Amino acid sequence: MKAQLGTDEGKHKFVLKTPKGTRDFGPKEMAIRERAFKAIISCFKRHGAEVIDTPVFELKETLTGKYGEDSKLIYDLKDQGGELLSLRYDLTVPFARYLAMNKITNIKRYHIAKVYRRDNPAMTRGRYREFYQCDFDIAGQFDPMIPDAECLKIVHEILSDLQLGDFVIKVNDRRILDGMFAVCGVPDSKFRTICSSVDKLDKVPWEEVRSEMVGEKGLSPEAADRIGEYVQLHGGLDLIEQLLQDPKLSQNKVAKEGLGDMKLLFEYLTLFGITGKISFDLSLARGLDYYTGVIFEAVLLQQENEHVEEPLSVGSVAGGGRYDGLVGMFDAKGRKVPCVGVSIGIERIFSILEQRLEASEEKVRTTETQVLVASAQKKLLEERLKLISELWDAGIKAEMLYRKNPKLLNQLQYCEETGIPLVAIVGEQELKDGVVKLRIVATREEVNVRRESLVEEIRIRTSQC
Amino acid sequence: MKAQLGTDEGKHKFVLKTPKGTRDFGPKEMAIRERAFKAIISCFKRHGAEVIDTPVFELKETLTGKYGEDSKLIYDLKDQGGELLSLRYDLTVPFARYLAMNKITNIKRYHIAKVYRRDNPAMTRGRYREFYQCDFDIAGQFDPMIPDAECLKIVHEILSDLQLGDFVIKVNDRRILDGMFAVCGVPDSKFRTICSSVDKLDKVPWEEVRSEMVGEKGLSPEAADRIGEYVQLHGGLDLIEQLLQDPKLSQNKVAKEGLGDMKLLFEYLTLFGITGKISFDLSLARGLDYYTGVIFEAVLLQQENEHVEEPLSVGSVAGGGRYDGLVGMFDAKGRKVPCVGVSIGIERIFSILEQRLEASEEKVRTTETQVLVASAQKKLLEERLKLISELWDAGIKAEMLYRKNPKLLNQLQYCEETGIPLVAIVGEQELKDGVVKLRIVATREEVNVRRESLVEEIRIRTSQC
């Protein structure tokens, strides 16, 4: 029979690993992950979002031409006959496809799912090839900057709620960037590629970015230097006002539009009381092709784990922006649906929460079991099965050891290890008396409870846990 | 700018669809899906399970040789350099890989995630190429049939809880099947392929299966006929006793072992009070290669939607079994970890719940918003933003229309459409008086609430919703 199963023949050596850039989540990691998801989902619901889900792969052509230079990182499926498919690279393009396909012009939805990028993984810093995105988007034709402001409010709420330490949300606008490129003398055809270079400024110094612009991308040194002056600017309403007076920028139509909207955005953010954490930053570019207006990115300012020798750069934990043209790319008549959205980069947040938990030595329970059904003597398996079945049917979370005659000590030990707070012990005498002995693990106290009151007693005693 | 985005150039015609055999879940479908998941997860937690997650793809060789004839249905990823990967086909093989890789010999876990099969989709009957599985498994060396019985109890609890109508859980054992094949004269080398044929008996009549065995698979007609006699048997403890006396079967060692354990299983199921829905059925085979002991499958007995003209066959909604050899296949030294588990086939259950909901005309809310922040006059956007921000910060689920000056009628209509129960209306007079007008949508009642009591008032009024 073994031979038939192919188990032992050949003694094939398996490589026991998950694919490069991916990982398993064990029970402890899942407990942390679910805690973070809960905070994020409750924020999305607080803002009235519906939820949708889309397939993990899309037709390859659905993703084509949406990600600029990053398209090379898309995972394709093998051609096994039939359609050509790719794994989704983000949740935004599938969302736009969903809107166009169903002719939806108005929705506020969240979507939490895994996306796939054939990037160089840096797993200790929470960068994976398979990772979760938590997206919230508002689609529809609305008055300017109201949905945009709400997206920033959401980032602020989630990062505050998760207590990840101090953070700043950098904000810019593609129109301001495009206007800036124009007045600096960048030719139209180079806007996107120069934008990709600017996008690297959070990781590499200006000199390197400049040499990429001039060397690889053929920009004139003068234009690069003009860009260099702008991209070091960051501030608040004052900077917006200053740039609205800037002799060159103020003459550029799209830049002026972008600056006007940025001013409006800051007014709304003031009403939300969150401008303290917002920085208008001309170096923020964001790589993806589809953004058309406001863009933003939240960055953690310091590592919580201060005893780590080299402070770990966790970088961006959320980002997003406005993409008014993307849905139209899927519509035969090019009908546009303006959209703005935010994506929470949850893997980096997991890394931080995991490190913190490890440092704190807090014990995380990975089950919710309320009671272990145990026996003090042998030959009571049938009685344990009967009792646990009653408890399950009453909605009590209960476990038992899968042994005919487990030792009481082993049963108590199991509770200690897994954090089960109560033990319901059946024994000959108790069965005769119609009671169950209920033991409180923490205090070692034991009380006899009448069988018909057991469910109620367990509920009361675990309601505070 | 449009040209740069690639929006209008080329006028490329996109095929607007999801890949074959997949679908989107819109907000309404998600509401149903989350309801079903909630019932299933709460059952898994009631039985003390931890939760894990694994990547959506595995190394191709991890999946090789585990699924028998079904292996051709595995989705492979394109070779883009690096490892050869395949999408997971089920959650069981990744679980076994996880156990072997982490040297875990003892765990009770659930895992809810999508799996992928390049099968012929039949989407109206809930058969997809991308679909959710909800798996619960118990791994570890335990006394016989105790974890196996718990798996069946779990299927019983979930199907009862979801109120899907009458069902039966068919049970058999690979050892009984193998013994039966042996005493019927099937050569050892044909056990697996003949087992695959028997597995089709729930879809095609015996004559067809017989002609496959004899014609395609070269079994002698006599052996096939002997199998034909056994596979029509089904019953309970009485049938087990009868087969234990069967002159041929009782002489076969593995069959006898299987029948002995089946008897024990029925004793435990009697203690759980669920034998009424269990049928020991010799025609149940289950296709997958890795099963070694008990196997089972739950089938809905009748279509709930009785007014449908042709009663829709929904078939199997849950299945599982014991696979004691699978983990050992991943271990260099072949160390085994006995496992038993159940998989809930949730897509078919969704189909039924969706049809039922459509028939009932029950209105499903797709958000949880408690209150809409509205204004009765123009020029109150700032006041609405301030108020909604206060509500969000206090944890109230609140929305507003993204308009500078929305009409009150439109705002009230939005509440009717989306089921928001309360409207907080700001107006000039209310602002002066330090109150907010709270309107109860259902009754059209309006009360003035002091601003500082608004949060509390909303909580009280929506606590019953």
Side-chain angles (χ1 to χ4, degrees):
Chain A
M1 173 129 141
K2 271 187 203 166
Q4 285 163 38
L5 273 170
T7 21
D8 286 356
E9 349 160 71
K11 289 273 176 204
H12 180 66
K13 276 241 175 94
F14 287 101
V15 183
L16 266 186
K17 67 184 288 288
T18 62
K20 185 178 177 188
T22 68
R23 67 158 170 170
D24 295 318
F25 281 81
K28 221 168 130 184
E29 291 91 46
M30 284 299 282
I32 297 166
R33 185 169 118 177
E34 300 210 321
R35 223 186 263 182
F37 278 161
K38 205 175 152 194
I40 291 167
I41 291 172
S42 84
C43 176
F44 290 164
K45 287 192 172 173
R46 192 158 60 238
H47 287 261
E50 305 182 279
V51 57
I52 71 158
D53 192 24
T54 64
V56 80
F57 41 59
E58 294 278 344
L59 298 186
K60 186 176 164 62
E61 63 175 354
T62 299
L63 307 190
T64 303
K66 312 296 187 303
Y67 301 109
E69 296 179 6
D70 289 342
S71 295
K72 61 179 185 295
L73 304 181
I74 293 173
Y75 277 97
D76 293 327
L77 269 76
K78 189 169 154 187
D79 184 359
Q80 293 170 292
E83 300 160 333
L84 289 181
L85 307 175
S86 300
L87 296 187
R88 62 184 164 211
Y89 183 85
D90 65 7
L91 303 176
T92 310
V93 170
F95 175 55
R97 191 266 307 146
Y98 170 79
L99 295 185
M101 187 172 135
N102 297 288
K103 299 198 186 336
I104 296 167
T105 55
N106 198 324
I107 192 174
K108 177 164 56 184
R109 79 90 182 80
Y110 72 92
H111 187 187
I112 296 183
K114 288 173 175 177
V115 302
Y116 299 88
R117 299 183 184 181
R118 296 179 58 252
D119 213 338
N120 277 329
M123 310 214 281
T124 49
R125 282 185 290 152
R127 208 163 82 214
Y128 292 88
R129 289 182 157 197
E130 172 186 62
F131 58 99
Y132 266 99
Q133 284 196 333
C134 307
D135 278 25
F136 171 100
D137 293 79
I138 301 170
Q141 186 69 58
F142 301 117
D143 283 324
M145 294 298 123
I146 311 178
D148 310 62
E150 183 167 0
C151 288
L152 291 167
K153 177 80 169 86
I154 282 175
V155 177
H156 192 277
E157 282 179 26
I158 289 173
L159 295 185
S160 307
D161 193 14
L162 289 173
Q163 297 177 289
L164 298 170
D166 206 9
F167 61 89
V168 64
I169 310 175
K170 300 179 188 174
V171 187
N172 199 358
D173 192 299
R174 270 286 162 96
R175 292 166 298 175
I176 300 175
L177 279 166
D178 284 342
M180 176 183 93
F181 292 145
V183 304
C184 291
V186 179
D188 279 17
S189 62
K190 289 205 163 81
F191 277 18
R192 282 289 158 265
T193 185
I194 293 302
C195 196
S196 291
S197 298
V198 172
D199 189 40
K200 294 172 185 161
L201 275 174
D202 56 338
K203 282 162 217 136
V204 298
W206 165 246
E207 286 65 35
E208 248 174 80
V209 171
R210 184 184 181 282
S211 86
E212 178 181 300
M213 287 176 174
V214 177
E216 287 173 43
K217 302 193 167 170
L219 190 67
S220 74
E222 298 74 30
D225 290 336
R226 276 181 229 121
I227 293 173
E229 273 171 46
Y230 280 116
V231 294
Q232 58 182 281
L233 301 175
H234 53 92
L237 256 176
D238 47 338
L239 176 60
I240 301 170
E241 296 288 4
Q242 177 194 322
L243 291 176
L244 275 168
Q245 307 305 323
D246 182 280
K248 283 179 290 177
L249 264 190
S250 63
Q251 298 308 307
N252 181 285
K253 194 170 158 276
V254 282
K256 213 177 150 191
E257 251 180 57
L259 286 165
D261 276 349
M262 189 59 70
K263 192 175 163 190
L264 195 58
L265 179 67
F266 266 78
E267 281 167 22
Y268 296 158
L269 298 180
T270 308
L271 293 166
F272 287 160
I274 60 171
T275 44
K277 304 264 187 212
I278 312 277
S279 167
F280 170 44
D281 188 326
L282 283 168
S283 75
L284 179 72
R286 298 203 40 88
L288 303 179
D289 261 21
Y290 50 63
Y291 290 117
T292 56
V294 165
I295 48 177
F296 53 87
E297 200 163 286
V299 184
L300 295 188
L301 281 183
Q302 59 187 59
Q303 182 56 13
E304 186 70 5
N305 252 353
E306 312 243 359
H307 63 265
V308 172
E309 287 191 18
E310 200 180 337
L312 214 96
S313 155
V314 279
S316 151
V317 289
R322 176 163 285 282
Y323 50 102
D324 288 348
L326 190 59
V327 179
M329 289 172 78
F330 290 106
D331 188 280
K333 292 179 184 156
R335 277 167 299 207
K336 291 193 174 180
V337 178
C339 294
V340 64
V342 49
S343 183
I344 310 288
I346 189 73
E347 306 296 335
R348 289 176 178 183
I349 293 174
F350 292 154
S351 294
I352 298 166
L353 294 178
E354 276 178 8
Q355 283 171 26
R356 183 182 306 171
L357 205 71
E358 230 157 275
S360 79
E361 288 171 30
E362 184 200 333
K363 222 185 161 186
V364 195
R365 274 201 76 182
T366 54
T367 69
E368 298 174 10
T369 309
Q370 296 165 293
V371 61
L372 185 84
V373 174
S375 54
Q377 297 111 342
K378 291 193 170 185
K379 297 199 179 166
L380 287 168
L381 173 61
E382 283 73 15
E383 292 300 334
R384 281 190 292 140
L385 288 171
K386 256 204 290 203
L387 179 59
I388 201 168
S389 185
E390 282 173 35
L391 294 178
W392 285 331
D393 292 342
I396 299 293
K397 294 170 190 142
E399 286 184 73
M400 57 179 271
L401 297 197
Y402 302 121
R403 300 274 175 209
K404 279 181 90 153
N405 298 308
K407 287 184 188 145
L408 186 60
L409 189 66
N410 290 346
Q411 298 174 84
L412 297 180
Q413 224 158 25
Y414 183 78
C415 294
E416 299 275 3
E417 283 162 15
T418 60
I420 300 174
L422 299 173
V423 194
I425 305 170
V426 288
E428 300 289 358
Q429 192 56 47
E430 287 82 4
L431 284 169
K432 269 185 215 143
D433 300 345
V435 298
V436 171
K437 187 175 280 171
L438 194 65
R439 180 184 169 109
I440 294 84
V441 176
T443 61
R444 300 178 180 191
E445 177 196 352
E446 292 185 344
V447 283
N448 279 339
V449 179
R450 294 213 54 78
R451 184 116 172 184
E452 58 273 22
S453 320
L454 183 61
V455 167
E456 190 52 28
E457 187 70 25
I458 293 171
R459 279 209 190 109
I460 293 167
R461 288 193 179 260
T462 54
S463 62
Q464 318 90 306
C465 304
Chain B
M1 175 125 136
K2 272 185 204 168
Q4 287 164 36
L5 272 171
T7 20
D8 287 357
E9 349 161 71
K11 289 274 177 205
H12 180 64
K13 277 237 174 94
F14 286 100
V15 183
L16 265 185
K17 67 184 289 287
T18 60
K20 186 177 175 189
T22 68
R23 66 158 172 171
D24 295 319
F25 281 81
K28 223 169 126 182
E29 290 91 49
M30 285 299 281
I32 297 167
R33 186 169 115 176
E34 300 210 321
R35 225 187 263 181
F37 278 160
K38 206 175 151 193
I40 291 167
I41 292 172
S42 83
C43 176
F44 290 164
K45 287 192 171 171
R46 193 158 59 238
H47 288 261
E50 305 184 277
V51 58
I52 72 158
D53 192 24
T54 65
V56 80
F57 41 58
E58 294 279 343
L59 298 185
K60 186 176 163 62
E61 62 175 352
T62 299
L63 307 190
T64 303
K66 311 297 185 304
Y67 301 109
E69 296 180 4
D70 290 342
S71 295
K72 60 181 186 295
L73 304 180
I74 293 173
Y75 276 97
D76 291 329
L77 269 76
K78 190 170 153 185
D79 183 1
Q80 293 171 293
E83 300 160 331
L84 289 181
L85 307 175
S86 301
L87 297 186
R88 61 184 162 210
Y89 182 85
D90 65 8
L91 302 177
T92 310
V93 171
F95 175 54
R97 190 266 307 147
Y98 170 79
L99 295 186
M101 188 173 135
N102 297 287
K103 300 202 188 328
I104 296 167
T105 55
N106 198 324
I107 191 174
K108 177 164 55 182
R109 79 90 182 80
Y110 71 92
H111 187 188
I112 295 183
K114 289 173 175 177
V115 302
Y116 299 87
R117 299 183 184 182
R118 296 178 58 253
D119 213 338
N120 278 328
M123 309 213 284
T124 49
R125 284 185 288 153
R127 207 163 82 215
Y128 293 87
R129 287 181 159 198
E130 173 185 62
F131 58 97
Y132 266 100
Q133 285 196 333
C134 306
D135 279 24
F136 171 98
D137 293 79
I138 301 170
Q141 185 71 57
F142 301 118
D143 283 322
M145 294 298 123
I146 311 177
D148 310 63
E150 182 167 3
C151 288
L152 291 167
K153 176 80 170 86
I154 282 175
V155 176
H156 192 277
E157 282 179 27
I158 289 173
L159 295 184
S160 307
D161 193 14
L162 290 173
Q163 297 179 290
L164 299 170
D166 205 10
F167 61 89
V168 65
I169 310 175
K170 299 179 189 173
V171 187
N172 198 359
D173 192 298
R174 270 287 163 94
R175 292 167 297 173
I176 300 175
L177 279 167
D178 284 344
M180 176 183 90
F181 292 146
V183 304
C184 291
V186 179
D188 279 18
S189 61
K190 289 204 164 82
F191 276 18
R192 283 287 158 265
T193 185
I194 293 301
C195 194
S196 291
S197 299
V198 171
D199 189 39
K200 293 172 185 162
L201 275 174
D202 57 337
K203 283 164 214 132
V204 297
W206 164 247
E207 285 67 36
E208 251 175 79
V209 171
R210 184 185 181 280
S211 84
E212 180 181 299
M213 287 177 175
V214 177
E216 287 174 42
K217 302 192 169 171
L219 190 66
S220 73
E222 297 73 32
D225 290 335
R226 275 179 230 125
I227 293 174
E229 273 169 48
Y230 280 116
V231 293
Q232 56 182 286
L233 301 175
H234 52 92
L237 256 178
D238 48 340
L239 177 60
I240 302 169
E241 298 289 3
Q242 178 194 320
L243 291 176
L244 276 168
Q245 306 307 322
D246 183 281
K248 284 179 290 176
L249 267 189
S250 61
Q251 298 309 309
N252 181 286
K253 193 170 160 276
V254 281
K256 213 176 148 191
E257 250 181 59
L259 286 165
D261 276 348
M262 188 59 70
K263 192 176 160 187
L264 196 57
L265 179 67
F266 265 79
E267 283 167 19
Y268 295 159
L269 299 179
T270 306
L271 292 166
F272 288 161
I274 61 170
T275 43
K277 304 264 188 212
I278 311 277
S279 167
F280 169 44
D281 189 326
L282 283 169
S283 76
L284 179 73
R286 301 210 28 98
L288 303 179
D289 263 19
Y290 49 64
Y291 290 117
T292 55
V294 164
I295 49 176
F296 53 87
E297 200 163 287
V299 184
L300 296 187
L301 282 184
Q302 62 186 56
Q303 180 56 15
E304 186 70 3
N305 253 349
E306 312 244 358
H307 62 266
V308 172
E309 287 189 19
E310 201 180 338
L312 215 97
S313 155
V314 279
S316 151
V317 289
R322 177 162 284 282
Y323 49 102
D324 288 348
L326 190 59
V327 178
M329 289 173 77
F330 291 106
D331 189 280
K333 292 181 184 154
R335 276 168 298 209
K336 291 190 173 183
V337 179
C339 295
V340 63
V342 50
S343 183
I344 310 289
I346 189 74
E347 306 297 333
R348 291 176 175 182
I349 292 173
F350 291 154
S351 294
I352 298 166
L353 293 178
E354 276 178 8
Q355 283 171 26
R356 183 184 304 171
L357 205 72
E358 230 158 271
S360 79
E361 289 171 27
E362 184 200 332
K363 225 184 158 188
V364 195
R365 275 200 77 184
T366 54
T367 70
E368 297 175 9
T369 309
Q370 295 166 291
V371 61
L372 185 84
V373 174
S375 54
Q377 297 112 344
K378 290 191 169 185
K379 297 196 178 167
L380 288 168
L381 174 61
E382 283 74 14
E383 292 300 334
R384 280 190 292 140
L385 288 171
K386 255 205 291 207
L387 179 58
I388 200 166
S389 184
E390 283 172 35
L391 295 178
W392 285 331
D393 292 343
I396 299 291
K397 295 169 189 142
E399 288 184 71
M400 57 178 274
L401 297 197
Y402 302 121
R403 301 274 175 207
K404 279 182 90 151
N405 298 308
K407 287 182 187 148
L408 186 59
L409 189 65
N410 290 347
Q411 298 175 85
L412 298 180
Q413 226 157 24
Y414 183 78
C415 293
E416 299 276 2
E417 283 161 15
T418 59
I420 299 175
L422 299 173
V423 195
I425 305 170
V426 288
E428 300 289 1
Q429 192 54 49
E430 286 83 4
L431 284 168
K432 268 184 217 144
D433 300 346
V435 296
V436 171
K437 187 176 281 172
L438 194 65
R439 180 183 168 110
I440 293 87
V441 176
T443 60
R444 299 178 180 192
E445 177 197 351
E446 293 186 344
V447 284
N448 279 338
V449 179
R450 294 213 55 79
R451 183 117 175 182
E452 59 273 21
S453 320
L454 183 61
V455 167
E456 190 51 28
E457 187 70 24
I458 293 171
R459 278 207 192 114
I460 292 167
R461 288 189 180 265
T462 54
S463 61
Q464 319 92 309
C465 302

